[in-house]
């Protein structure tokens, strides 16, 4: 387990318990090296504890008090490597120092299609509505993520247009300070009648899933008879006239 001894956002040195060291540079490349013979890699516990306390303070300021871990102070030896606090200020930076700014939220398991590659023809057992997140819970968890650095949220399903409070969810999320993009993925079957309300509520980007332009193939793939493809294509045309930042297929 490697522990960065210097700020990972600039050049630093990472040590492993085997005594090997790697020089970390800004572009993610590494230069291998070794510690002096007979000298074991040590963790500066005072420096690490200071970073740990600073991180807890940043989390508290971001409104994440409930997520602050309760741990004993860092020790020395191998335990210190296991318990070393992440050095990046954001809780959304992983162990490879990649910062995640994109969040996907599944609003429902329900779908009005039965695509061959996605769902059996008879459907699936659905989670009871009492166990799904409410509108307020979705807004709260999104607010916490945005405070941690999320800049784009995508709403998915199932088929998100089957959720009755979809427009309310969009309106609440679009008002979060710091959120730059609010997107949604839909199959387009019932999306058309919701487009004006979704755009007015603050939806900025729209993805419409479309596997084929051939009516017979669309019917076979989605297990939906009728004029489903025509409805999707009309929705695409309507979406292009609503002023979304981007409409993608």
């Amino acid at each position: 387990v490697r522990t960065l001894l210097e700020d990972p956002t600039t050049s630093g040195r990472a040590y492993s318990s085997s005594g090997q060291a790697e020089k970390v540079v800004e572009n993610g490349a590494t230069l291998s090296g070794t510690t002096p013979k007979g000298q074991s890699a040590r963790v500066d516990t005072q420096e690490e504890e200071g970073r740990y306390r600073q991180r807890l303070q940043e989390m508290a300021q971001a409104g994440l008090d409930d997520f602050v871990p309760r741990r004993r102070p860092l020790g020395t030896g191998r335990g210190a490597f296991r318990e070393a606090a992440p050095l990046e200020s954001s809780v959304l930076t992983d162990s490879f120092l990649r910062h995640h700014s994109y969040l996907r939220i599944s609003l429902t398991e329900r779908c009005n299609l039965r695509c061959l590659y996605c769902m059996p023809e008879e459907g699936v057992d659905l989670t009871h509505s009492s166990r799904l997140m409410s509108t307020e819970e979705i807004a709260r968890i999104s607010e916490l993520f945005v405070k941690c650095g999320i800049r784009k949220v995508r709403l998915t399903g199932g088929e998100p247009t089957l959720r009755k409070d979809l427009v309310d969810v969009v309106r609440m999320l679009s008002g979060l300070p710091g959120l730059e993009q609010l997107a949604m993925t839909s199959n387009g079957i019932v999306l058309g009648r919701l487009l004006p309300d979704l755009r007015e509520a603050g939806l900025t980007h729209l993805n419409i899933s479309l596997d084929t332009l051939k009516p017979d193939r669309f019917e076979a793939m989605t297990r939906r008879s009728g004029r489903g493809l025509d409805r999707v294509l009309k929705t695409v045309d309507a979406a292009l006239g609503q002023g979304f930042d981007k409409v993608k297929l």
Side-chain angles (χ1 to χ4, degrees):
V1 180
R2 294 188 176 94
T3 302
L4 294 179
L5 298 184
E6 295 181 14
D7 188 348
T9 60
T10 60
S11 297
R13 188 172 296 278
Y15 290 87
S16 67
S17 57
S18 64
Q20 294 291 321
E22 292 181 345
K23 186 69 176 179
V24 181
V25 294
E26 292 182 0
N27 62 4
T30 59
L31 299 174
S32 297
T34 57
T35 56
K37 185 176 180 180
Q39 178 181 345
S40 61
R42 295 176 177 272
V43 175
D44 185 341
T45 56
Q46 184 176 4
E47 183 180 358
E48 292 291 329
E49 184 68 17
R51 290 195 181 107
Y52 175 64
R53 293 183 181 278
Q54 180 182 2
R55 178 175 172 78
L56 297 186
Q57 184 178 7
E58 291 170 348
M59 293 176 68
Q61 291 174 349
L64 301 175
D65 305 74
D66 295 340
F67 295 90
V68 173
R70 300 292 184 259
R71 305 189 312 172
R72 63 182 185 273
L74 294 175
T76 58
R78 298 183 64 182
F81 288 98
R82 291 195 301 270
E83 292 195 308
L87 304 184
E88 184 73 14
S89 60
S90 173
V91 297
L92 298 180
T93 300
D94 63 20
S95 58
F96 294 97
L97 304 183
R98 298 172 300 188
H99 181 72
H100 300 275
S101 59
Y102 175 28
L103 174 67
R104 296 170 65 98
I105 302 177
S106 175
L107 297 181
T108 180
E109 299 169 317
R110 296 192 299 145
C111 188
N112 46 7
L113 299 181
R114 293 293 182 269
C115 296
L116 292 169
Y117 54 81
C118 183
M119 187 179 292
E121 188 171 5
E122 65 276 11
V124 296
D125 294 333
L126 300 176
T127 303
H128 193 274
S129 58
S130 63
R131 300 191 61 188
L132 299 179
M133 287 193 296
S134 66
T135 308
E136 293 74 18
E137 288 171 332
I138 293 173
R140 175 56 176 160
I141 196 68
S142 299
E143 178 186 11
L144 294 175
F145 272 106
V146 171
K147 286 182 177 180
C148 291
I150 287 294
R151 294 295 173 259
K152 176 181 178 180
V153 171
R154 177 173 298 280
L155 304 176
T156 66
E159 172 52 39
T161 58
L162 299 184
R163 181 155 174 150
K164 296 180 180 180
D165 61 348
L166 173 61
V167 175
D168 293 331
V169 170
V170 170
R171 182 172 290 109
M172 295 182 74
L173 297 189
S174 66
L176 294 177
L179 186 63
E180 299 172 358
Q181 294 184 24
L182 179 56
M184 187 177 75
T185 297
S186 170
N187 60 31
I189 295 295
V190 299
L191 173 63
R193 63 173 180 260
L194 295 173
L195 285 174
D197 291 338
L198 290 172
R199 186 68 188 102
E200 186 275 332
L203 192 69
T204 62
H205 290 65
L206 184 62
N207 278 35
I208 299 178
S209 301
L210 185 59
D211 295 310
T212 179
L213 294 175
K214 298 181 178 181
D216 57 336
R217 186 171 295 177
F218 182 90
E219 183 174 334
M221 293 184 69
T222 62
R223 300 192 183 102
R224 180 187 176 91
S225 59
R227 301 178 61 84
L229 179 60
D230 288 341
R231 298 180 65 177
V232 175
L233 294 178
K234 289 180 180 178
T235 297
V236 172
D237 289 336
L240 292 174
Q242 289 294 326
F244 291 102
D245 292 352
K246 186 175 291 186
V247 177
K248 297 174 63 177
L249 298 182

